[in-house]
Amino acid sequence: MAIEKLLKDEATEEKGERARMASFVGAMAIADLVKTTLGPKGMDKILQSTGRGHSVTVTNDGATILKSLHIDNPAAKVLVDISKVQDDEVGDGTTSVVVLAGELLREAEKLVNAKIHPMTIISGYRMAAECAKNALLEKVVDNKLDAEKFKADLMKIAMTTLSSKILSQDKEHFAKLAVDAVMRLKGSTNLEAIQIIKKPGGSLKDSFLDEGFILDKKIGVGQPKRIENAKILVANTAMDTDKVKIYGARVRVDSMAKVAEIEVAEKEKMREKVQKIINHGINCFVNRQLIYNFPEELFADAGVLAIEHADFDGIERLALVTGGEIASTFDNPESVKLGHCKLIEEIMIGEDKLIHFSGVDMGQACTIVLRGASPHMLDEAERSLHDALCVLSQTVNDSRVLLGGGWPEMVMAKSVDELARKTPGKRSHAIEAFSRALVAIPTTIADNAGLDSAELIAQLRAEHHKEGSNAGIDVISGSVGDMAELGISEAFKVKQAVLLSATEAAEMILRVDEIITCAPRRREDRM
């Protein structure tokens, strides 16, 4: 007897062909969505939230676009995740990885329709990915030993990364900012020490890099505006207890004089706390919480600069940069680590006053101040710069560099094609398909620039059959150009991450033959 029904009412399942179709279609739709943002001539997308405030984001960063989508299709979610990982891991190539995975699936769909088993396709893809990676490894350039050349490489990589973003007009200026900031890190990939402050007004060209640390706060009234050889105590403590704080507290007194006594006692308590803080021998006190007028006055009398309400991001970074620790109790001064810096002063950026800490303990700290016409522009500029900083900090560690502009994809496609010719059996179809998927990236770059991609890719392929060719797509002149002369470079780490993540994601989606959607749990089921 057949089982009538296995799953609950609202659960659905799709098997075999239909499940595979659903995954393929979802993944390809996502790839087509971000495809138009790829390359130097890629377009931006406006993301408008339907929530409160209807906030608008204008962006061309693949990971940001996909993060904001609410997707129902399970396979599409896999692609969103790989672009997120790519963003966290290397910062750039978030669009390429999705486009490549989408193309791999598009090719796989044709093969599945031609009755080739998904496992055969996967094993072919695996071989092809290995072969492509080795092809890149043969062609990498490593200038770590020559500081001048390496810095030039970093500049090129930064300019290539920025050329597909909103900063492309002033890419030299921003590439220089990014390279200077990353060179200060001296090889660490911790981008915490680089702070980015956004100030509307001015134009993007007015952005600058400042050594030291800038805190987005004003200096209080009647306090020193400039301190040299500052000793800084960074704290997270309540400095507003000169009032009875306990709500609903009833204090019965029989005269007004008693009330005055309570107030005096409170004041004394505060004065003691301030005295404890001053006993640390500091001349700058930065607090995360409010500082009321009375303690502020006491600090001003003692010649201590008190800064209140420094946001958490700012205070953590300040502690990190000045070498101090965040304190919340002040009974034993010897156990508190103070921060140090050479000079604290107030500066003006545009209309706003900010506090500038220079000569900080952590020499690699710096602040990039972005100026721009509107908040949306600044947000996008920050995302673009963050991508460039990520890529550069990774490149400083792994200094292998490749040419850009579709050159790596053509190199990989060429060697994968050769592998397909040598491989017997059905796998060769899959390997060939992999090479076609790789070519899709330069094709998309050309399409987005409004060029004749079929013509260009054919020329490019012919160029690459000559030994040691540096040909790639020169979007500006609209023809095949020499990437080494144009100075278009990419980090090897980014390309490798794109290749491996896309292959693994495609493989994962290919393995699916059934999608089961669970019914939501009902309240009464829990009894």
Side-chain angles (χ1 to χ4, degrees):
M1 166 188 143
I3 301 174
E4 278 300 305
K5 202 157 163 216
L6 185 64
L7 301 170
K8 283 202 174 166
D9 280 353
E10 291 171 30
T12 56
E13 62 173 331
E14 292 179 7
K15 284 198 170 124
E17 275 306 291
R18 288 199 48 185
R20 204 166 284 127
M21 271 307 298
S23 341
F24 284 157
V25 168
M28 287 186 242
I30 287 285
D32 289 343
L33 178 75
V34 291
K35 211 181 215 178
T36 51
T37 67
L38 191 70
K41 297 272 171 145
M43 305 304 263
D44 290 8
K45 309 261 182 253
I46 289 186
L47 310 171
Q48 184 178 17
S49 87
T50 49
R52 239 178 46 226
H54 289 283
S55 62
V56 170
T57 317
V58 182
T59 180
N60 133 332
D61 177 39
T64 312
I65 296 170
L66 295 180
K67 236 186 305 199
S68 319
L69 298 178
H70 287 288
I71 297 170
D72 203 21
N73 187 299
K77 285 202 172 94
V78 174
L79 290 197
V80 174
D81 288 344
I82 56 168
S83 88
K84 268 190 203 154
V85 170
Q86 181 79 10
D87 197 28
D88 299 341
E89 188 68 21
V90 283
D92 196 24
T94 47
T95 312
S96 322
V97 70
V98 177
V99 171
L100 182 55
E103 287 303 323
L104 285 172
L105 289 169
R106 182 163 293 154
E107 294 296 334
E109 185 190 21
K110 294 175 195 161
L111 296 175
V112 170
N113 292 342
K115 299 281 180 283
I116 294 177
H117 194 277
M119 282 306 164
T120 315
I121 301 174
I122 287 173
S123 84
Y125 276 4
R126 280 250 168 108
M127 287 167 68
E130 194 56 39
C131 165
K133 186 176 145 196
N134 294 338
L136 284 188
L137 278 170
E138 282 168 24
K139 300 267 186 176
V140 288
V141 181
D142 193 340
N143 287 332
K144 189 149 203 169
L145 305 173
D146 183 341
E148 278 302 300
K149 271 189 179 165
F150 186 48
K151 193 160 181 192
D153 275 349
L154 287 181
M155 278 297 287
K156 285 180 196 164
I157 289 176
M159 289 197 333
T160 307
T161 300
L162 293 172
S163 63
S164 64
K165 314 261 192 272
I166 195 167
L167 302 176
S168 59
Q169 302 310 314
D170 314 311
K171 64 182 175 193
E172 284 184 18
H173 177 61
F174 283 101
K176 200 165 165 10
L177 288 188
V179 172
D180 285 352
V182 170
M183 289 305 249
R184 280 167 174 272
L185 291 178
K186 301 187 182 62
S188 90
T189 50
N190 181 11
L191 295 179
E192 289 282 306
I194 302 175
Q195 182 196 19
I196 298 181
I197 286 185
K198 300 176 286 196
K199 285 280 163 216
S203 72
L204 283 171
K205 271 212 176 64
D206 302 338
S207 308
F208 61 91
L209 176 87
D210 200 316
E211 60 95 22
F213 181 84
I214 297 179
L215 194 62
D216 200 348
K217 286 282 161 256
K218 295 187 181 66
I219 291 183
V221 184
Q223 294 180 349
K225 292 271 186 272
R226 177 189 170 95
I227 293 181
E228 289 184 12
N229 291 334
K231 291 196 178 93
I232 308 163
L233 176 62
V234 187
N236 183 4
T237 179
M239 298 297 289
D240 48 1
T241 46
D242 54 345
K243 293 189 167 50
V244 174
K245 259 292 196 55
I246 312 161
Y247 293 111
R250 295 176 63 177
V251 184
R252 290 231 170 130
V253 286
D254 42 19
S255 69
M256 274 313 281
K258 288 280 194 338
V259 176
E261 273 175 38
I262 292 175
E263 281 182 354
V264 169
E266 290 257 303
K267 267 197 159 156
E268 275 313 307
K269 196 169 137 197
M270 195 71 236
R271 184 174 274 128
E272 270 175 36
K273 187 169 186 180
V274 171
Q275 199 47 55
K276 274 183 195 164
I277 291 172
I278 293 171
N279 287 347
H280 284 64
I282 56 169
N283 48 13
C284 172
F285 175 68
V286 183
N287 192 16
R288 164 101 209 291
Q289 302 179 25
L290 264 174
I291 301 179
Y292 264 16
N293 310 8
F294 177 61
E296 192 169 43
E297 186 186 319
L298 294 177
F299 281 128
D301 290 346
V304 173
L305 164 63
I307 303 167
E308 62 174 8
H309 254 301
D311 55 343
F312 205 72
D313 218 25
I315 196 169
E316 286 228 316
R317 207 179 254 136
L318 180 63
L320 172 91
V321 166
T322 55
E325 282 177 359
I326 300 178
S328 45
T329 54
F330 310 103
D331 293 328
N332 28 353
E334 61 283 350
S335 65
V336 175
K337 255 178 89 176
L338 298 180
H340 297 278
C341 80
K342 292 206 178 75
L343 177 67
I344 299 180
E345 58 185 344
E346 193 170 53
I347 56 170
M348 293 277 293
I349 297 179
E351 308 287 297
D352 300 342
K353 290 180 177 170
L354 300 97
I355 306 171
H356 181 226
F357 297 78
S358 53
V360 289
D361 263 13
M362 189 171 167
Q364 52 258 58
C366 57
T367 302
I368 296 176
V369 179
L370 290 178
R371 309 298 311 278
S374 72
H376 300 141
M377 189 123 173
L378 285 174
D379 288 342
E380 177 61 0
E382 183 189 21
R383 275 190 292 271
S384 315
L385 200 56
H386 183 73
D387 281 5
L389 290 172
C390 283
V391 175
L392 290 176
S393 67
Q394 295 287 349
T395 312
V396 171
N397 276 358
D398 180 348
S399 55
R400 292 172 291 183
V401 177
L402 297 162
L403 297 175
W407 177 85
E409 282 78 15
M410 295 311 286
V411 168
M412 293 193 277
K414 181 184 168 193
S415 76
V416 170
D417 258 343
E418 281 164 14
L419 175 72
R421 293 205 190 97
K422 293 180 205 148
T423 311
K426 283 186 180 176
R427 275 185 307 189
S428 61
H429 293 298
I431 298 173
E432 217 170 283
F434 194 94
S435 128
R436 283 200 296 276
L438 283 169
V439 176
I441 288 190
T443 310
T444 310
I445 293 176
D447 281 341
N448 287 346
L451 306 172
D452 180 357
S453 60
E455 170 71 16
L456 272 179
I457 299 300
Q459 279 180 19
L460 202 51
R461 186 175 276 143
E463 280 292 319
H464 271 270
H465 270 283
K466 301 173 188 161
E467 272 308 301
S469 157
N470 290 340
I473 292 179
D474 176 7
V475 185
I476 311 303
S477 71
S479 59
V480 171
D482 184 327
M483 293 293 121
E485 280 170 26
L486 293 167
I488 299 178
S489 301
E490 293 190 59
F492 167 71
K493 198 158 182 190
V494 174
K495 279 290 161 222
Q496 181 186 332
V498 166
L499 179 70
L500 301 181
S501 311
T503 314
E504 283 175 12
E507 187 178 310
M508 195 165 146
I509 294 171
L510 262 177
R511 284 173 180 270
V512 174
D513 77 328
E514 183 164 356
I515 300 174
I516 302 172
T517 318
C518 303
R521 270 166 82 178
R522 290 265 172 78
R523 284 283 162 84
E524 58 268 23
D525 286 357
R526 294 185 189 164
M527 300 307 285

